[in-house]
Amino acid sequence: MTGDLLLALDQGTTSTRAIAFDAALTPIATAQEELPQHFPAPGWVEHEPEDIWQGSLATLRGALAGAGGDPRRLAGIGITNQRETTLLWDRATGRCLHRAIVWQDRRTAEHCARLRAEGAEPLLTERTGLLADPYFSATKLAWLLDHVPGARAAAERGSLAFGTVDCFVIWRLTGGRVHATDATNAARTMLFDIRRGDWDDELLRLFRIPRSVLPEVRDCAAEFGVTEAAHMGAAVPIRGVAGDQQAATVGQGCFQPGMVKSTYGTGCFALLNTGETPVASHARLLTTIAYQLGGRRTYALEGAIFVAGAAVQWLRDGLGIIATAAEAGELAAKADPAQEVTLVPAFTGLGAPHWDAAARAAIFGLTRGAGRAELCRAALESVSFQTRDLIDAMRADWPGEAGTVLRVDGGMVASDWTMQFLADLLGAPVDRPVVRETTALGAAYLAGLQAGLCPAPGASGATHWRLERRFVPAMARQEAARRHAIWQDAVERTLTR
């Protein structure tokens, strides 16, 4: 008998969560654990691989228990993950040789600068749609091979396996029987030709990476093996995989060219569906794979903001001026409008469209009248300002109507104040869905598609998306333009190149 439940694992940067969905893709049970961060040097960000694994297993079991606890009811598991985060492990033992190097990590900035200086970036962009930036996996993997004693020799013997978080979790869940990833995660490594749909030998030579360490690349909805029975109480098929932003694109039902979504978690990521043709960006956006189904790739333009919710975490954990994230929106609404404080949250550099790894955070416009409320407002506004920059870049690159309506998801969208300011600044409607955990929803949909529980993408495939509230612009366009100009001036003062 085919199961009637779907289980989604959303392994993120600061937490791991699993959500059980019924066949109609309604969430019925959730489990979540925080994921500790490690900062061994300025600009370095790491995770313990065992924390990732144990949190993944615990939350999968917790969500299943909340849904009744019977693994035989599961039609499949969908996995979505923080992208670009890089792990390297021993094939014989499954043990990692080093902590995971997180996507935010900037330790390979000099390597990327050398690539640009040597003229390698045009090749990288042509093949992968990406830029020579520490954000992506290739220089992280090269760093591990060069800095972990014995790693390069072991890799060349075929003893090691590389993977992003999805790949590592699949390896562990299947007891090492499956070393595979999906096309969306492969597309973020800077090693994958997104037009041919295969690892690129020229890029592997450029980064000195043996092909033997690489996983097999499959569709987003595909068979990724079955879990060992001991993990879930029975062998459960893994049937859907996508990087977190691509999973959110699927969860938001952005199946038609021109549709755009923005996810607000630790960072912020906006994706515009461009259909079956990859669009080269003239505004330093990324060209990437939105999803791959039945061997056919759908592409997207993507803008990445490194710091969104992380700015609120900084207010809470770094400055200690709020006790909970929800306080930020409450205080922002009370801020003195005469105090025009601007925060450029370049704590780990600036992402699209600037791509300045050396930029650092700065605050402008402080007066003695500025306090907690004004800092909270500046932090929340910075997310909207950065989103406006991304949408403007997309409008410049895309010949269609990009960003006519923005679909939003992630933790920050719970703030009505923030979403209204976003709509005001964009001059476009902002749609917040009923199910805000659309990353997990997308992973569940992909697993359900493979299991035959969910309809194929298209008009019918978007029925899992339901509108909760639409925020419409209320600010005068002249005022929005004035506020945005202040932001742009602050960014220019922050840039290092």
Side-chain angles (χ1 to χ4, degrees):
M1 182 181 73
T2 302
D4 62 342
L5 297 180
L6 297 163
L7 192 56
L9 174 68
D10 181 0
Q11 202 300 299
T13 310
T14 57
S15 70
T16 303
R17 112 178 17 91
I19 303 178
F21 293 84
D22 65 18
L25 293 180
T26 300
I28 57 176
T30 302
Q32 182 169 343
E33 288 191 1
E34 286 198 14
L35 178 63
Q37 315 292 296
H38 301 276
F39 309 98
W44 292 28
V45 189
E46 297 178 348
H47 290 153
E48 285 288 355
E50 294 307 312
D51 289 343
I52 293 173
W53 164 240
Q54 293 299 333
S56 298
L57 187 57
T59 54
L60 283 170
R61 289 171 170 171
L64 176 61
D70 185 356
R72 295 170 298 178
R73 292 186 61 193
L74 292 176
I77 293 173
I79 296 175
T80 183
N81 55 285
Q82 51 168 315
R83 303 171 305 172
E84 298 93 18
T85 294
T86 300
L87 300 101
L88 185 65
W89 63 92
D90 186 292
R91 289 182 179 274
T93 66
R95 304 292 297 185
C96 287
L97 277 66
H98 190 276
R99 282 177 176 165
I101 302 180
V102 178
W103 59 273
Q104 296 168 309
D105 190 283
R106 314 303 284 174
R107 76 186 65 187
T108 61
E110 289 186 9
H111 187 172
C112 293
R114 288 197 305 273
L115 291 169
R116 290 192 295 270
E118 293 165 0
E121 188 169 62
L123 172 66
L124 290 171
T125 301
E126 177 195 352
R127 300 286 171 82
T128 71
L130 310 178
L131 300 169
D133 190 86
Y135 177 23
F136 307 109
S137 307
T139 56
K140 294 173 166 58
L141 176 54
W143 188 94
L144 289 170
L145 292 174
D146 288 336
H147 288 81
V148 176
R152 182 166 294 283
E156 291 172 353
R157 290 195 305 269
S159 301
L160 302 184
F162 150 75
T164 43
V165 168
D166 60 304
C167 185
F168 174 67
V169 172
I170 290 169
W171 177 281
R172 286 291 183 91
L173 283 173
T174 63
R177 293 188 301 276
V178 177
H179 184 211
T181 188
D182 83 296
T184 69
N185 277 295
R188 311 299 295 192
T189 61
M190 214 154 58
L191 300 170
F192 190 75
D193 187 324
I194 61 172
R195 290 166 178 80
R196 291 192 304 108
D198 194 9
W199 302 113
D200 188 272
D201 288 327
E202 192 170 358
L203 295 180
L204 293 176
R205 287 193 295 271
L206 177 66
F207 291 103
R208 298 179 59 230
I209 292 171
R211 182 178 270 267
S212 62
V213 304
L214 301 175
E216 178 188 342
V217 181
R218 301 179 183 176
D219 285 350
C220 298
E223 300 296 334
F224 287 86
V226 296
T227 68
E228 291 195 305
H231 292 322
M232 304 298 298
V236 180
I238 304 167
R239 287 180 157 158
V241 178
D244 52 10
Q245 303 314 314
Q246 283 85 352
T249 301
V250 170
Q252 287 278 27
C254 292
F255 294 128
Q256 302 301 321
M259 296 184 74
V260 60
K261 73 89 199 173
S262 190
T263 297
Y264 298 95
T266 303
C268 165
F269 301 86
L271 266 73
L272 166 69
N273 185 324
T274 64
E276 295 186 359
T277 302
V279 174
S281 174
H282 302 287
R284 293 180 66 78
L285 298 178
L286 306 177
T287 304
T288 194
I289 297 174
Y291 48 86
Q292 179 174 307
L293 300 172
R296 298 179 64 179
R297 288 175 289 283
T298 295
Y299 295 93
L301 284 171
E302 176 179 330
I305 296 168
F306 295 153
V307 174
V312 178
Q313 290 176 326
W314 174 68
L315 296 176
R316 184 192 65 190
D317 302 334
L319 298 186
I321 64 174
I322 56 174
T324 65
E327 272 189 80
E330 297 166 4
L331 283 168
K334 300 174 184 176
D336 180 358
Q339 302 289 334
E340 294 192 333
V341 179
T342 302
L343 167 66
V344 181
F347 298 105
T348 55
L350 285 171
H354 309 289
W355 294 107
D356 187 344
R360 288 296 176 263
I363 301 174
F364 299 90
L366 285 175
T367 70
R368 286 292 301 273
R372 291 196 308 148
E374 288 70 33
L375 283 175
C376 287
R377 184 183 66 190
L380 294 179
E381 286 182 344
S382 73
V383 178
S384 296
F385 285 127
Q386 292 176 98
T387 304
R388 164 73 182 268
D389 291 344
L390 296 183
I391 298 300
D392 285 351
M394 288 177 174
R395 286 170 174 159
D397 282 333
W398 175 246
E401 290 292 321
T404 304
V405 176
L406 179 66
R407 291 186 171 184
V408 296
D409 58 85
M412 293 190 76
V413 306
S415 169
D416 291 352
W417 186 93
T418 305
M419 293 301 99
Q420 183 58 55
F421 184 75
L422 178 59
D424 289 342
L425 199 64
L426 294 179
V430 171
D431 284 358
R432 185 169 66 191
V434 171
V435 179
R436 299 178 191 175
E437 298 297 342
T438 53
T439 303
L441 178 62
Y445 169 81
L446 291 168
L449 178 64
Q450 180 66 18
L453 288 183
C454 298
S460 62
T463 56
H464 61 267
W465 188 89
R466 299 187 301 279
L467 178 67
E468 183 263 331
R469 178 173 173 180
R470 168 168 286 188
F471 296 85
V472 296
M475 182 184 291
R477 299 311 305 144
Q478 184 176 1
E479 175 63 9
R482 186 188 72 84
R483 298 291 302 278
H484 189 227
I486 294 172
W487 160 261
Q488 289 178 311
D489 178 69
V491 171
E492 285 299 318
R493 295 169 184 266
T494 308
L495 294 172
T496 64
R497 58 179 176 85

